[in-house]
Amino acid sequence: MPTILNHASGSANPATSLSALWAYLQPALDHIVKSPTNDPDGKAPAIDFGLYAGIHSACYNYFTAQSEATSASSLGGTDIYVQLDKYFEEAAREVALGAPLDDISLVRYIVPSFNRYHAGAQSANRLLNYVNRHYVKRAVDEDRGWLRVADVLEAVAKKELKKWGHEEGDSTEQAAFAESCAEAASSLDRIVPIASLAHRRFRTEFIEPLLASPKIKGQSKAKNKIPKPPIGLNPVRPKGRLARAVHDLFESDTIEREERLFLASGLAKTLQIIGVRKNHMLRKKLDKFIAKILEYNNGERNGN
């Protein structure tokens, strides 16, 4: 995928309005988030350095102009942040629309699709770092971030991050990763960095609908209620589509063990990054399956 070049020549000053700034930003975002790539690691395509620097300057000038036009009590930048949220909402829905109907194919689709989307989100986070530093940081300081001021006691923060894999003695990078997962798990009204904003939308627009169990028509009416099973038997409940796909993956005798391990590990990492909590039933099943396969592989290598 060729590098996208600076397209600013002859265009309106992107700092003059939201529409002008967005017209300048969107082609670059489309390139790094949506364009296909042959990179085996799903790395986002590059953009021209001149465009990269131009976008940074445009964001700086736009925020500066907004600050001069609004009172000190206003948090300038809300409009571009809302526009970015809408962009990732639509981008995640586009990925969802491409999902195959076959259940096992669904897992094979999600893992590489998220890897590509994730790479684009990380690249967009770097490209729009000024939005993070100017808008997101100030919003967090004003108690609008994922961790509310009431929760900022160090013990509470550590307990929350522990839910995302952070342990005492972890590196700065490991702590930052745990926090990014917690950010992606936040509700849509909380202000989070651009990468976490993108991951949160992948969760809400693509994965959560797949996790939801289908509703039974007329279930609210007494005559249509499912009868309780006999004592000692587990009730049969409809599962969400992703749960069914994972079950088929576990039970498949047509997929090699290493591919099943690869897909299960990739899906588990995807769910973690987008903010699906560790105690979610599907994450627990994936972790158990991965541990079982790894144990089996180790036994084979050791001749057991």
Side-chain angles (χ1 to χ4, degrees):
M1 175 61 63
T3 299
I4 187 172
L5 300 177
N6 195 337
H7 55 267
S9 300
S11 62
N13 181 354
T16 56
S17 67
L18 175 62
S19 59
L21 178 62
W22 191 249
Y24 188 39
L25 290 178
Q26 187 172 357
L29 285 173
D30 286 345
H31 183 70
I32 60 180
V33 174
K34 298 182 179 180
S35 60
T37 176
N38 294 323
D39 189 282
D41 299 321
K43 185 177 180 181
I47 62 173
D48 177 69
F49 178 77
L51 177 56
Y52 191 98
I55 287 174
H56 181 85
S57 296
C59 289
Y60 171 82
N61 292 333
Y62 181 75
F63 277 102
T64 300
Q66 279 206 327
S67 297
E68 293 174 351
T70 59
S71 65
S73 61
S74 299
L75 186 57
T78 298
D79 52 0
I80 187 61
Y81 187 85
V82 169
Q83 186 69 39
L84 285 166
D85 186 38
K86 181 180 178 182
Y87 177 84
F88 285 113
E89 178 185 13
E90 293 173 351
R93 285 180 181 175
E94 286 179 19
V95 179
L97 288 173
L101 297 178
D102 177 69
D103 283 343
I104 289 185
S105 297
L106 177 64
V107 182
R108 283 177 165 151
Y109 175 80
I110 288 174
V111 173
S113 295
F114 177 72
N115 288 344
R116 174 66 188 91
Y117 181 93
H118 172 61
Q122 299 282 60
S123 185
N125 193 68
R126 293 188 292 270
L127 178 66
L128 299 171
N129 186 47
Y130 191 79
V131 178
N132 285 333
R133 289 194 292 116
H134 179 87
Y135 178 76
V136 176
K137 186 178 183 302
R138 284 183 59 196
V140 170
D141 291 343
E142 295 182 5
D143 195 23
R144 298 171 63 193
W146 74 273
L147 194 65
R148 301 170 191 267
V149 168
D151 300 328
V152 173
L153 291 174
E154 185 176 359
V156 176
K158 285 183 177 179
K159 183 179 179 180
E160 185 62 29
L161 290 178
K162 192 173 182 179
K163 297 177 183 177
W164 300 100
H166 177 58
E167 300 290 347
E168 287 289 340
D170 278 353
S171 66
T172 303
E173 291 76 13
Q174 290 170 317
F177 173 73
E179 184 165 12
S180 70
C181 296
E183 290 165 349
S186 64
S187 57
L188 293 174
D189 63 315
R190 308 309 291 178
I191 308 300
V192 295
I194 303 302
S196 299
L197 181 74
H199 295 153
R200 186 169 68 188
R201 278 303 184 182
F202 196 91
R203 170 174 59 83
T204 62
E205 306 310 311
F206 187 13
I207 299 300
E208 284 187 348
L210 294 175
L211 292 173
S213 296
K215 294 181 179 179
I216 299 175
K217 292 182 179 180
Q219 188 174 359
S220 60
K221 297 180 181 179
K223 65 179 181 179
N224 290 324
K225 284 186 177 179
I226 300 173
K228 292 183 179 180
I231 296 174
L233 294 181
N234 291 324
V236 178
R237 294 192 179 101
K239 296 179 179 178
R241 189 179 169 209
L242 188 54
R244 297 196 306 269
V246 168
H247 177 268
D248 290 350
L249 176 69
F250 290 171
E251 300 297 323
S252 174
D253 55 7
T254 62
I255 301 177
E256 295 292 333
R257 187 196 320 153
E258 289 309 310
E259 185 184 359
R260 284 190 289 158
L261 176 61
F262 170 78
L263 291 173
S265 299
L267 183 57
K269 180 60 70 175
T270 295
L271 296 180
Q272 180 183 13
I273 291 173
I274 65 174
V276 176
R277 298 185 181 277
K278 188 176 182 178
N279 61 357
H280 189 282
M281 184 58 68
L282 189 58
R283 279 200 61 187
K284 290 163 70 174
K285 288 182 176 180
L286 284 164
D287 290 344
K288 184 177 180 180
F289 177 79
I290 293 165
K292 182 178 178 180
I293 293 291
L294 291 175
E295 182 181 2
Y296 186 89
N297 288 348
N298 289 334
E300 278 194 336
R301 282 193 291 269
N302 295 330
N304 296 331

